[in-house]
PDB file of all heavy atoms in Angstrom:
ATOM      1  N   SER B  96     -18.493  15.607 -18.648  1.00 93.00           N
ATOM      2  CA  SER B  96     -18.571  15.834 -17.192  1.00 93.00           C
ATOM      3  C   SER B  96     -18.479  17.334 -16.878  1.00 93.00           C
ATOM      4  O   SER B  96     -19.209  17.808 -16.107  1.00 93.00           O
ATOM      5  CB  SER B  96     -17.465  15.134 -16.461  1.00 93.00           C
ATOM      6  OG  SER B  96     -17.566  13.760 -16.725  1.00 93.00           O
ATOM      7  N   PHE B  97     -17.452  17.968 -17.594  1.00 93.00           N
ATOM      8  CA  PHE B  97     -17.393  19.440 -17.295  1.00 93.00           C
ATOM      9  C   PHE B  97     -18.568  20.206 -17.838  1.00 93.00           C
ATOM     10  O   PHE B  97     -19.078  21.115 -17.188  1.00 93.00           O
ATOM     11  CB  PHE B  97     -16.097  19.926 -17.950  1.00 93.00           C
ATOM     12  CG  PHE B  97     -14.795  19.683 -17.262  1.00 93.00           C
ATOM     13  CD1 PHE B  97     -13.813  18.926 -17.827  1.00 93.00           C
ATOM     14  CD2 PHE B  97     -14.715  20.227 -16.036  1.00 93.00           C
ATOM     15  CE1 PHE B  97     -12.668  18.641 -17.038  1.00 93.00           C
ATOM     16  CE2 PHE B  97     -13.533  19.976 -15.194  1.00 93.00           C
ATOM     17  CZ  PHE B  97     -12.539  19.196 -15.865  1.00 93.00           C
ATOM     18  N   TYR B  98     -19.068  19.698 -18.972  1.00 95.00           N
ATOM     19  CA  TYR B  98     -20.149  20.311 -19.535  1.00 95.00           C
ATOM     20  C   TYR B  98     -21.446  20.206 -18.602  1.00 95.00           C
ATOM     21  O   TYR B  98     -22.202  21.043 -18.372  1.00 95.00           O
ATOM     22  CB  TYR B  98     -20.470  19.749 -20.951  1.00 95.00           C
ATOM     23  CG  TYR B  98     -21.703  20.324 -21.593  1.00 95.00           C
ATOM     24  CD1 TYR B  98     -21.795  21.621 -22.095  1.00 95.00           C
ATOM     25  CD2 TYR B  98     -22.940  19.636 -21.659  1.00 95.00           C
ATOM     26  CE1 TYR B  98     -22.755  22.123 -22.811  1.00 95.00           C
ATOM     27  CE2 TYR B  98     -24.107  20.078 -22.281  1.00 95.00           C
ATOM     28  CZ  TYR B  98     -24.048  21.325 -22.802  1.00 95.00           C
ATOM     29  OH  TYR B  98     -25.092  21.887 -23.468  1.00 95.00           O
ATOM     30  N   PHE B  99     -21.543  19.037 -17.961  1.00 94.00           N
ATOM     31  CA  PHE B  99     -22.678  18.745 -17.032  1.00 94.00           C
ATOM     32  C   PHE B  99     -22.572  19.685 -15.792  1.00 94.00           C
ATOM     33  O   PHE B  99     -23.582  20.260 -15.458  1.00 94.00           O
ATOM     34  CB  PHE B  99     -22.572  17.303 -16.533  1.00 94.00           C
ATOM     35  CG  PHE B  99     -23.735  16.903 -15.649  1.00 94.00           C
ATOM     36  CD1 PHE B  99     -24.880  16.537 -16.214  1.00 94.00           C
ATOM     37  CD2 PHE B  99     -23.583  16.891 -14.250  1.00 94.00           C
ATOM     38  CE1 PHE B  99     -25.965  16.237 -15.461  1.00 94.00           C
ATOM     39  CE2 PHE B  99     -24.658  16.522 -13.509  1.00 94.00           C
ATOM     40  CZ  PHE B  99     -25.838  16.177 -14.078  1.00 94.00           C
ATOM     41  N   ILE B 100     -21.347  19.889 -15.332  1.00 93.00           N
ATOM     42  CA  ILE B 100     -21.181  20.853 -14.197  1.00 93.00           C
ATOM     43  C   ILE B 100     -21.647  22.165 -14.538  1.00 93.00           C
ATOM     44  O   ILE B 100     -22.247  22.925 -13.852  1.00 93.00           O
ATOM     45  CB  ILE B 100     -19.723  20.786 -13.696  1.00 93.00           C
ATOM     46  CG1 ILE B 100     -19.417  19.458 -13.073  1.00 93.00           C
ATOM     47  CG2 ILE B 100     -19.486  21.879 -12.672  1.00 93.00           C
ATOM     48  CD1 ILE B 100     -18.009  19.251 -12.634  1.00 93.00           C
ATOM     49  N   GLY B 101     -21.347  22.561 -15.881  1.00 93.00           N
ATOM     50  CA  GLY B 101     -21.814  23.821 -16.412  1.00 93.00           C
ATOM     51  C   GLY B 101     -23.378  23.967 -16.437  1.00 93.00           C
ATOM     52  O   GLY B 101     -23.927  25.001 -15.974  1.00 93.00           O
ATOM     53  N   ILE B 102     -24.037  22.919 -17.048  1.00 93.00           N
ATOM     54  CA  ILE B 102     -25.465  23.105 -17.140  1.00 93.00           C
ATOM     55  C   ILE B 102     -26.252  22.933 -15.871  1.00 93.00           C
ATOM     56  O   ILE B 102     -27.304  23.281 -15.789  1.00 93.00           O
ATOM     57  CB  ILE B 102     -25.948  22.153 -18.173  1.00 93.00           C
ATOM     58  CG1 ILE B 102     -25.798  20.653 -17.854  1.00 93.00           C
ATOM     59  CG2 ILE B 102     -25.345  22.428 -19.598  1.00 93.00           C
ATOM     60  CD1 ILE B 102     -26.491  19.698 -18.794  1.00 93.00           C
ATOM     61  N   ILE B 103     -25.506  22.409 -14.848  1.00 92.00           N
ATOM     62  CA  ILE B 103     -26.209  22.422 -13.537  1.00 92.00           C
ATOM     63  C   ILE B 103     -26.703  23.738 -13.085  1.00 92.00           C
ATOM     64  O   ILE B 103     -27.785  24.064 -12.542  1.00 92.00           O
ATOM     65  CB  ILE B 103     -25.280  21.798 -12.385  1.00 92.00           C
ATOM     66  CG1 ILE B 103     -25.149  20.349 -12.621  1.00 92.00           C
ATOM     67  CG2 ILE B 103     -25.702  22.108 -11.041  1.00 92.00           C
ATOM     68  CD1 ILE B 103     -24.088  19.794 -11.670  1.00 92.00           C
ATOM     69  N   PHE B 104     -25.908  24.825 -13.559  1.00 89.00           N
ATOM     70  CA  PHE B 104     -26.343  26.162 -13.038  1.00 89.00           C
ATOM     71  C   PHE B 104     -27.361  26.773 -13.977  1.00 89.00           C
ATOM     72  O   PHE B 104     -27.845  27.918 -13.643  1.00 89.00           O
ATOM     73  CB  PHE B 104     -25.018  27.096 -13.170  1.00 89.00           C
ATOM     74  CG  PHE B 104     -23.969  26.669 -12.131  1.00 89.00           C
ATOM     75  CD1 PHE B 104     -22.964  25.706 -12.482  1.00 89.00           C
ATOM     76  CD2 PHE B 104     -24.059  27.068 -10.786  1.00 89.00           C
ATOM     77  CE1 PHE B 104     -22.061  25.371 -11.464  1.00 89.00           C
ATOM     78  CE2 PHE B 104     -23.268  26.618  -9.855  1.00 89.00           C
ATOM     79  CZ  PHE B 104     -22.090  25.754 -10.222  1.00 89.00           C
ATOM     80  N   ILE B 105     -27.755  25.972 -14.977  1.00 88.00           N
ATOM     81  CA  ILE B 105     -29.033  26.451 -15.654  1.00 88.00           C
ATOM     82  C   ILE B 105     -30.278  26.181 -14.873  1.00 88.00           C
ATOM     83  O   ILE B 105     -31.203  27.051 -14.792  1.00 88.00           O
ATOM     84  CB  ILE B 105     -29.195  25.751 -17.035  1.00 88.00           C
ATOM     85  CG1 ILE B 105     -28.016  26.033 -17.950  1.00 88.00           C
ATOM     86  CG2 ILE B 105     -30.483  26.115 -17.657  1.00 88.00           C
ATOM     87  CD1 ILE B 105     -28.077  25.375 -19.335  1.00 88.00           C
ATOM     88  N   ALA B 106     -30.207  25.161 -14.073  1.00 87.00           N
ATOM     89  CA  ALA B 106     -31.398  24.668 -13.309  1.00 87.00           C
ATOM     90  C   ALA B 106     -31.741  25.737 -12.259  1.00 87.00           C
ATOM     91  O   ALA B 106     -30.835  26.234 -11.499  1.00 87.00           O
ATOM     92  CB  ALA B 106     -31.122  23.337 -12.692  1.00 87.00           C
ATOM     93  N   ASN B 107     -32.919  26.069 -12.135  1.00 85.00           N
ATOM     94  CA  ASN B 107     -33.384  27.122 -11.018  1.00 85.00           C
ATOM     95  C   ASN B 107     -34.762  26.818 -10.472  1.00 85.00           C
ATOM     96  O   ASN B 107     -35.307  27.587  -9.850  1.00 85.00           O
ATOM     97  CB  ASN B 107     -33.175  28.453 -11.546  1.00 85.00           C
ATOM     98  CG  ASN B 107     -34.197  28.776 -12.724  1.00 85.00           C
ATOM     99  OD1 ASN B 107     -34.966  27.852 -13.115  1.00 85.00           O
ATOM    100  ND2 ASN B 107     -34.263  30.092 -13.047  1.00 85.00           N
ATOM    101  N   ASN B 108     -35.337  25.661 -10.788  1.00 87.00           N
ATOM    102  CA  ASN B 108     -36.544  25.283 -10.091  1.00 87.00           C
ATOM    103  C   ASN B 108     -36.621  23.723  -9.783  1.00 87.00           C
ATOM    104  O   ASN B 108     -35.631  23.035 -10.245  1.00 87.00           O
ATOM    105  CB  ASN B 108     -37.850  25.734 -10.863  1.00 87.00           C
ATOM    106  CG  ASN B 108     -37.857  25.104 -12.179  1.00 87.00           C
ATOM    107  OD1 ASN B 108     -37.112  24.191 -12.509  1.00 87.00           O
ATOM    108  ND2 ASN B 108     -38.758  25.673 -13.053  1.00 87.00           N
ATOM    109  N   TRP B 109     -37.537  23.293  -8.989  1.00 88.00           N
ATOM    110  CA  TRP B 109     -37.549  21.866  -8.645  1.00 88.00           C
ATOM    111  C   TRP B 109     -37.657  21.031  -9.809  1.00 88.00           C
ATOM    112  O   TRP B 109     -36.927  19.860  -9.920  1.00 88.00           O
ATOM    113  CB  TRP B 109     -38.547  21.626  -7.645  1.00 88.00           C
ATOM    114  CG  TRP B 109     -40.090  21.742  -8.177  1.00 88.00           C
ATOM    115  CD1 TRP B 109     -40.702  22.846  -8.152  1.00 88.00           C
ATOM    116  CD2 TRP B 109     -40.767  20.699  -8.712  1.00 88.00           C
ATOM    117  NE1 TRP B 109     -42.087  22.547  -8.715  1.00 88.00           N
ATOM    118  CE2 TRP B 109     -42.043  21.260  -9.067  1.00 88.00           C
ATOM    119  CE3 TRP B 109     -40.658  19.396  -8.935  1.00 88.00           C
ATOM    120  CZ2 TRP B 109     -43.056  20.500  -9.689  1.00 88.00           C
ATOM    121  CZ3 TRP B 109     -41.650  18.558  -9.488  1.00 88.00           C
ATOM    122  CH2 TRP B 109     -42.840  19.254  -9.919  1.00 88.00           C
ATOM    123  N   MET B 110     -38.344  21.304 -10.928  1.00 90.00           N
ATOM    124  CA  MET B 110     -38.531  20.451 -12.046  1.00 90.00           C
ATOM    125  C   MET B 110     -37.153  20.302 -12.702  1.00 90.00           C
ATOM    126  O   MET B 110     -36.750  19.060 -13.079  1.00 90.00           O
ATOM    127  CB  MET B 110     -39.322  21.217 -13.125  1.00 90.00           C
ATOM    128  CG  MET B 110     -40.796  21.319 -12.751  1.00 90.00           C
ATOM    129  SD  MET B 110     -41.699  19.808 -13.320  1.00 90.00           S
ATOM    130  CE  MET B 110     -41.857  20.161 -15.059  1.00 90.00           C
TER     131      MET B 110
END
Side-chain angles (χ1 to χ4, degrees):
Chain B
S96 299
F97 280 119
Y98 181 72
F99 185 80
I100 291 170
I102 59 173
I103 284 174
F104 294 94
I105 295 178
N107 68 351
N108 60 11
W109 66 272
M110 289 272 283

